[in-house]
Structure formats: structure tokens, C-alpha cells
Amino acid sequence: MYFGFGAIAKGCFELFNRKKFNLLAGEKSKFPILLGILDILIGLMLLFNIGASLVILPYFFAAWFIIDSIYEMFFAKIYKGVSEPMYWFTIISNVLGIILGVMLLFNPITSALTLAFLVGAYFMVTGVTYIVAAFG
């Protein structure tokens, strides 16, 4: 249930901040809207259909990691002109997110057993990226 609340909060955050992302990117993108709605739907699925979400939880997180990392890769170009170290930090952390998502996708049994650790590691990397972006 905590993951469901987290997904809903993340989706709302992406929907509310899409204008800032579009301004920073210098282009109109529908991707933040799509990702925000997808996060909210995943969160609702995790909250209200607990039986089915336990079965497909590893696949949810794999898709979530991959899509979210690709989304952040699109916005890495914002940092290229401003801060070269932040640009490379964003690229590296998102490539790790994609690799982690692919590992979750192709090995769901192992990912089900280590899901709490992997999700914690992913959120930690994402949190550090956001903190560095805020002060960078």
C-alpha cells in the first residue's frame, strides 16, 4: 500500500510540475502528462487490487523504473549547458535505473524477493538526483 501512495504522489507531482519541465526543456512535451497519469493508475492498482498487484508487482516496478529513467534522460539536456557534472550524474543515474528496470523485468522471481531493497535503492538514487539538481 505504501508503494501505491508513493506512485500516486509521484504522479501528482509530475502533473503539477509539467509546465516547469516544459519551460526548462524549451519544448512542449506530452510525456510528463502520460507519465503522471501512468503513475497514478499504477498507484490506484496497487491500492485497490492488492491480490492482483502482488502477482504483477515486479513487472509494475520494472516498467516504472524503465519509463521513469527514460523520462529523466529526456530532461538531462537541460543540465548540459548549465552544469556538466550534473548532466553526467543524471545520465549515469538514469542508465543505472534502466539497467535495474531491465534486470527486474527479466528476472521477476529474484526481483520479487529483493523488491524492497531494489525499490529503496532506486528511490535513494532518484532522491539524491533531485537534491543535487536543487542545489546544482
Side-chain angles (χ1 to χ4, degrees), residues 21 23 32 34 37 54 59 90 93 108 112-113 125 127:
F21 289 135
L23 282 174
L34 176 70
I37 291 171
L54 288 175
Y59 298 108
T90 304
S93 65
L113 296 174
V125 169

Side-chain angles (χ1 to χ4, degrees), residues 65 100 103-104 107-121:
F65 287 5
L100 182 62
M103 286 173 36
L104 285 170
N107 200 350
I109 301 297
T110 304
S111 65
L113 296 174
T114 61
L115 195 61
F117 173 74
L118 293 174
V119 170

Side-chain angles (χ1 to χ4, degrees), residues 16-131:
F16 288 131
N17 288 324
R18 67 183 161 81
K19 288 183 183 178
K20 284 185 185 179
F21 289 135
N22 286 338
L23 282 174
L24 289 173
E27 59 190 43
K28 293 278 185 176
S29 175
K30 302 291 186 218
F31 201 65
I33 295 171
L34 176 70
L35 189 60
I37 291 171
L38 182 66
D39 283 341
I40 291 171
L41 290 175
I42 288 173
L44 291 173
M45 172 75 172
L46 291 173
L47 282 177
F48 294 114
N49 197 352
I50 295 175
S53 66
L54 288 175
V55 173
I56 54 178
L57 192 64
Y59 298 108
F60 269 154
F61 279 106
W64 192 10
F65 287 5
I66 292 169
I67 292 170
D68 195 44
S69 294
I70 291 171
Y71 169 72
E72 292 292 327
M73 292 278 276
F74 281 121
F75 287 103
K77 65 181 176 183
I78 296 169
Y79 302 117
K80 190 160 188 152
V82 177
S83 173
E84 194 72 24
M86 183 59 196
Y87 170 75
W88 287 109
F89 179 75
T90 304
I91 294 292
I92 291 169
S93 65
N94 288 310
V95 166
L96 289 174
I98 291 171
I99 291 170
L100 182 62
V102 170
M103 286 173 36
L104 285 170
L105 189 62
F106 287 118
N107 200 350
I109 301 297
T110 304
S111 65
L113 296 174
T114 61
L115 195 61
F117 173 74
L118 293 174
V119 170
Y122 177 75
F123 284 147
M124 186 177 66
V125 169
T126 303
V128 168
T129 302
Y130 288 156
I131 290 170

